[in-house]
């Protein structure tokens, strides 16, 4: 997805500029071309020679340099890029961007450009929290500027708090997310002619006409995956328990409540090429739903007898004649995340497991972000923390690459 993409990296003068060197190296490793603009202040932190060596290109700094202007004016600098990344984005450069000031090559290039921009802010905690910076950020966000970070932690100035530039891996994940969204909106239809089934949300297992057993699943991850597969052209059926999520464009929704209904609807959707089971299926149901609302009858609480629900993932993985080519499951774990997921992949008979930590401290359940370990037969790949939408686009991209081209 990143191969051949052209990044214009603007390095402003912050201590985090040293991380930009690592960022350049990693972008180049992924087959992207990186052209760099440095502000004057950035020269205090990293040398243009190091930047030029890693990017294997000339470094641009001067607005009024005859050679820079004649070889590569500021207009062309941005025109020849697919994405402008500002890392580190200092409070000063963000302020100049927000105000439309064009007093050096970096600011002028940003002002003279209609290309998408991703900023990775980096500054002292007080500067980040200052109403001026937050107001500038609000302006930039309203103009469609994307942002990654800053994170919290020990800052170079000795203070602790928010303002630390995101790590290169996180910036790359954001860049991937950007290009994945471009693909979503655009012409990448690698899954055209393929059929996909996605389960999402919780199931509800009735106790009586007014009560049920369920869980906190929001359906965000499953719905995002259905959206990402459909955007790549797959004919997508989304079998979902009750959620607040809107049905993604181009997806056929089959609403269900119980695990048994989810299994029946999933089997009815076969044959499919791709099955992604992201639903949080209730493991147990009450063996017999009461016809009438259970009453407090003075004899103490009712005894609920639970029976096990069918395992939809394992059932689809074991289908003989119409097993989907690729069956993907999730493993929500609170401990030994990878170890349990490796065992689960084998037990369920699926091809991939996306394992994530759902301990309450991670905020994964119901939240917007997720940290995934992709467990395949060949091994385990850990992804950096990213939004559930980014997980979805990355997974869809991976699926498209594995199945190989339109059908
Ligand atoms: O066994 P566990 O619930 O941890 O497995 C999680 C994976 O299995 C998820 O992909 C989930 O959608 C799927 N699953 C299922 N049917 C069940 C239980 C889990 O499809 N009854």
């Amino acid at each position: 997805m990143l191969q051949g993409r052209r990044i214009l990296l603007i390095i402003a003068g912050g201590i985090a500029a040293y991380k930009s060197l690592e960022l350049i190296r990693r972008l180049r490793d992924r087959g992207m071309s990186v052209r760099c603009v440095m502000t004057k202040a950035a020269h205090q932190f990293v040398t243009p020679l190091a930047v030029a060596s890693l990017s294997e290109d000339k470094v641009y700094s001067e607005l009024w340099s005859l050679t820079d202007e004649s070889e590569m004016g500021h207009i062309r600098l941005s025109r020849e890029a697919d994405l402008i990344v500002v890392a580190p984005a200092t409070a000063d450069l963000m302020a100049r961007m927000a105000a439309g000031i064009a007093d050096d090559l970096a600011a002028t290039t940003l002002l003279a450009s209609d290309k998408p921009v991703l900023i990775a802010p980096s500054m002292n905690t007080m500067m980040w929290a200052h109403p001026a910076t937050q107001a500038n950020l609000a302006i930039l966000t309203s103009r469609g500027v994307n942002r990654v970070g800053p994170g919290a932690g020990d800052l170079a100035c000795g203070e602790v708090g928010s303002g630390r530039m995101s790590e290169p891996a996180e910036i790359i994940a954001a860049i991937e997310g950007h290009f994945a969204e471009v693909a979503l909106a655009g012409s990448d239809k690698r899954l055209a002619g393929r059929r996909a089934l996605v389960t999402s949300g919780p199931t509800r297992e009735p106790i009586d006409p007014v009560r049920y057993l369920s869980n906190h699943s929001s359906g965000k991850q499953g719905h995002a995956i259905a959206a990402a597969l459909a955007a790549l052209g797959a004919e997508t059926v989304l079998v979902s328990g009750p959620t607040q999520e809107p049905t993604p464009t181009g997806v056929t929704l089959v609403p269900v409540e119980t695990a048994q209904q989810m299994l029946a609807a999933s089997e009815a959707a076969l044959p499919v090429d791709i099955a992604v089971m992201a639903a949080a299926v209730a493991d147990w149901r009450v063996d017999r739903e009461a016809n009438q609302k259970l009453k407090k009858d003075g004899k103490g609480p009712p005894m609920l007898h639970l029976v096990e629900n069918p395992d939809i993932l394992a059932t689809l993985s074991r289908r003989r004649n119409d097993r989907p080519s690729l069956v993907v499951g999730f493993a929500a774990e609170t401990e030994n995340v990878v170890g349990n997921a490796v065992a689960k992949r084998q037990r369920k008979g699926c091809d991939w497991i996306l394992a994530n930590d759902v301990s309450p401290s991670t905020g994964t359940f119901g939240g917007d972000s997720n940290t995934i370990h992709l467990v395949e037969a060949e091994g385990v790949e850990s992804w950096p923390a990213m939004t559930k939408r980014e997980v979805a686009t990355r997974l869809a991209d991976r699926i498209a690459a594995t199945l190989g081209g339109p059908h």
Side-chain angles (χ1 to χ4, degrees), residues 38-346:
M38 292 174 71
T39 64
K40 213 179 220 116
H43 291 221
Q44 304 291 329
F45 297 96
V46 285
T47 69
L49 185 62
V51 173
S53 316
L54 286 167
S55 65
E56 296 176 78
D57 198 353
K58 184 174 155 37
V59 173
Y60 298 84
S61 290
E62 299 293 329
L63 184 54
W64 301 118
S65 149
L66 261 185
T67 49
D68 282 7
E69 275 296 306
S70 55
E71 283 171 16
M72 173 71 66
H74 53 267
I75 308 281
R76 246 181 83 200
L77 267 175
S78 76
R79 202 159 285 164
E80 293 190 357
D82 299 311
L83 174 68
I84 303 180
V85 177
V86 187
T90 54
D92 173 68
L93 184 53
M94 283 174 59
R96 288 188 287 143
M97 287 169 76
I101 292 173
D103 57 353
D104 68 359
L105 182 63
T108 307
T109 304
L110 284 158
L111 192 62
S113 166
D114 60 355
K115 290 295 162 75
V117 177
L118 172 72
I119 59 172
S122 164
M123 65 199 72
N124 159 280
T125 298
M126 302 288 272
M127 290 169 86
W128 174 248
H130 197 285
T133 304
Q134 290 302 312
N136 290 332
L137 177 66
I139 290 173
L140 296 177
T141 306
S142 73
R143 291 185 194 144
V145 169
N146 295 305
R147 172 167 67 95
V148 51
D154 293 338
L155 300 178
C157 55
E159 291 182 16
V160 177
S162 190
R164 195 189 160 107
M165 187 169 92
S166 296
E167 296 303 318
E170 291 166 302
I171 299 176
I172 288 186
I175 292 173
E176 269 177 342
H178 165 76
F179 286 120
E181 295 219 341
V182 170
L184 272 185
S187 55
D188 182 352
K189 297 289 174 210
R190 278 175 295 161
L191 291 177
R194 304 278 187 185
R195 282 174 55 82
L197 162 69
V198 180
T199 65
S200 183
T203 64
R204 271 185 193 170
E205 311 298 334
I207 296 171
D208 67 18
V210 296
R211 303 185 179 95
Y212 55 80
L213 297 175
S214 191
N215 58 64
H216 290 298
S217 169
S218 62
K220 284 184 178 167
Q221 187 63 83
H223 278 57
I225 291 168
L229 293 171
L232 288 182
E235 195 184 322
T236 306
V237 175
L238 173 62
V239 178
S240 178
T243 78
Q244 301 292 320
E245 289 295 295
T247 307
T249 328
V251 166
T252 307
L253 176 74
V254 183
V256 296
E257 295 228 333
T258 67
Q260 288 175 303
Q261 291 166 357
M262 188 171 270
L263 174 63
S266 299
E267 290 186 317
L270 298 178
V272 297
D273 303 286
I274 306 146
V276 183
M277 309 284 94
V281 183
D283 288 320
W284 302 285
R285 66 176 185 278
V286 179
D287 64 349
R288 213 169 303 122
E289 179 188 351
N291 314 329
Q292 305 297 332
K293 185 180 168 198
L294 296 176
K295 295 266 189 256
K296 284 182 279 187
D297 56 7
K299 293 191 212 128
M303 292 293 286
L304 297 181
H305 184 245
L306 302 182
V307 290
E308 198 157 328
N309 265 330
D311 191 313
I312 303 164
L313 175 62
T315 307
L316 293 194
S317 299
R318 304 230 153 81
R319 298 277 297 201
R320 281 182 178 268
N321 300 325
D322 55 3
R323 183 191 190 277
S325 315
L326 194 60
V327 183
V328 183
F330 273 78
E333 304 287 349
T334 53
E335 56 179 356
N336 188 17
V337 177
V338 171
N340 286 340
V342 169
K344 187 165 294 179
R345 196 188 78 84
Q346 297 202 320

